Amino acid sequence: MGNSREISVIIADDQILFLESLSQILSNRCDDISVKGLAHNGKEVISLVEKHNPQIVLMDIQMPIMNGVDATRLIHKKWPHIKIMVLTTFDDDSYIFDALKVGASGYILKNLPPDEIINCIRALDGGASQLSHQVAEKIIKKPHVISENLRESKPMWFVKMKKVDRNILKLLCDGYSIKEIADRVYLAEQTVKNHLSNIYGVMEVSGRSDAINEIMIRKLNVYL
């Protein structure tokens, strides 16, 4: 693929067929992605992370012994440099907010085509948080998946937000990369980065995942 950097990955899922199939796909199709270990539950993935220190963990949510949310919380706390991408089905939607809140950098559907999952892994390694369009739409349009302790008032930064910043924030919530956002708002990538830096500043967040979390926590409608 022309990528000089190897992306080390650990996959955690209690569905053995899916786990082994995804591992084989990554191993057979990607010379830049190296699967370092397979885990069947949250405790196993913690042990593998400690042993291999991967760049990325692909994390199932519903697993025995320790679920994916608790494993994500522990990994993010002890190894904050490791990026965690949750693999989900629509049946897991009640866990979406919980996983993002405790440190997940991405949330994609298990039934995505293999090439899309591979692209998401590469994009996540490159610094672009991954939130599939289907998942983004689900968590924004269905408030029952969000915690009950939500603040209803709109913050002043949101009320005063310029149209271009709102459009950029909308595309961010939809899971687009910096380049894709730039193409859609007809701005240079560096200009988009500057806008995002300002947006993160007024929101008082550190990056994409925290910004999306803040939007969901407050139930702010960026689609107006």
Side-chain angles (χ1 to χ4, degrees):
M1 300 301 297
N3 293 334
S4 59
R5 183 186 181 209
E6 180 183 86
I7 306 170
S8 56
V9 173
I10 287 173
I11 311 173
D13 198 296
D14 67 333
Q15 296 179 7
I16 296 176
L17 180 60
F18 175 83
L19 183 69
E20 295 184 350
S21 296
L22 181 57
S23 175
Q24 289 178 6
I25 288 171
L26 296 180
S27 298
N28 293 336
R29 296 193 186 186
C30 309
D31 56 10
D32 59 328
I33 298 175
S34 176
V35 179
K36 298 298 184 182
L38 306 178
H40 303 90
N41 59 66
K43 283 194 173 181
E44 287 185 6
V45 75
I46 297 294
S47 297
L48 287 173
V49 165
E50 191 165 20
K51 179 179 179 180
H52 296 287
N53 190 29
Q55 272 95 40
I56 292 175
V57 174
L58 304 180
M59 183 80 75
D60 185 27
I61 285 291
Q62 296 187 19
M63 295 186 292
I65 303 177
M66 179 188 292
N67 64 44
V69 173
D70 290 338
T72 296
R73 180 186 294 107
L74 291 173
I75 292 171
H76 185 66
K77 183 177 181 180
K78 189 170 182 180
W79 300 280
H81 62 284
I82 295 177
K83 297 172 182 176
I84 301 170
M85 183 156 64
V86 174
L87 301 169
T88 182
T89 66
F90 273 125
D91 293 337
D92 292 332
D93 62 6
S94 61
Y95 296 97
I96 293 174
F97 177 75
D98 291 335
L100 291 172
K101 186 176 180 180
V102 299
S105 298
Y107 215 113
I108 63 172
L109 299 178
K110 284 184 177 181
N111 63 0
L112 286 177
D115 287 344
E116 289 191 31
I117 294 179
I118 291 169
N119 288 338
C120 286
I121 293 171
R122 290 172 176 152
L124 187 63
D125 180 66
S129 297
Q130 297 298 297
L131 194 66
S132 71
H133 298 177
Q134 301 95 323
V135 172
E137 181 179 2
K138 193 175 184 69
I139 60 181
I140 289 173
K141 292 186 176 180
K142 293 194 175 183
H144 71 272
V145 305
I146 311 301
S147 169
E148 294 180 359
N149 299 319
L150 300 177
R151 292 168 284 174
E152 298 292 341
S153 60
K154 292 182 175 64
M156 189 57 63
W157 61 260
F158 186 78
V159 174
K160 293 184 175 181
M161 182 172 283
K162 296 178 181 179
K163 184 177 180 180
V164 61
D165 288 336
R166 191 183 295 271
N167 287 339
I168 289 172
L169 190 56
K170 169 187 173 295
L171 293 167
L172 191 81
C173 289
D174 281 343
Y176 289 101
S177 68
I178 299 294
K179 183 180 185 306
E180 290 170 331
I181 293 174
D183 290 341
R184 282 163 175 77
V185 297
Y186 304 104
L187 295 173
E189 289 183 45
Q190 185 57 52
T191 303
V192 170
K193 290 179 182 178
N194 292 340
H195 277 278
L196 285 172
S197 179
N198 292 333
I199 290 170
Y200 296 155
V202 298
M203 292 180 69
E204 298 183 349
V205 297
S206 60
R208 177 190 292 255
S209 296
D210 289 343
I212 294 173
N213 288 347
E214 182 72 6
I215 293 298
M216 292 187 295
I217 287 171
R218 293 180 177 270
K219 294 194 293 187
L220 298 174
N221 188 353
V222 295
Y223 294 91
L224 293 176

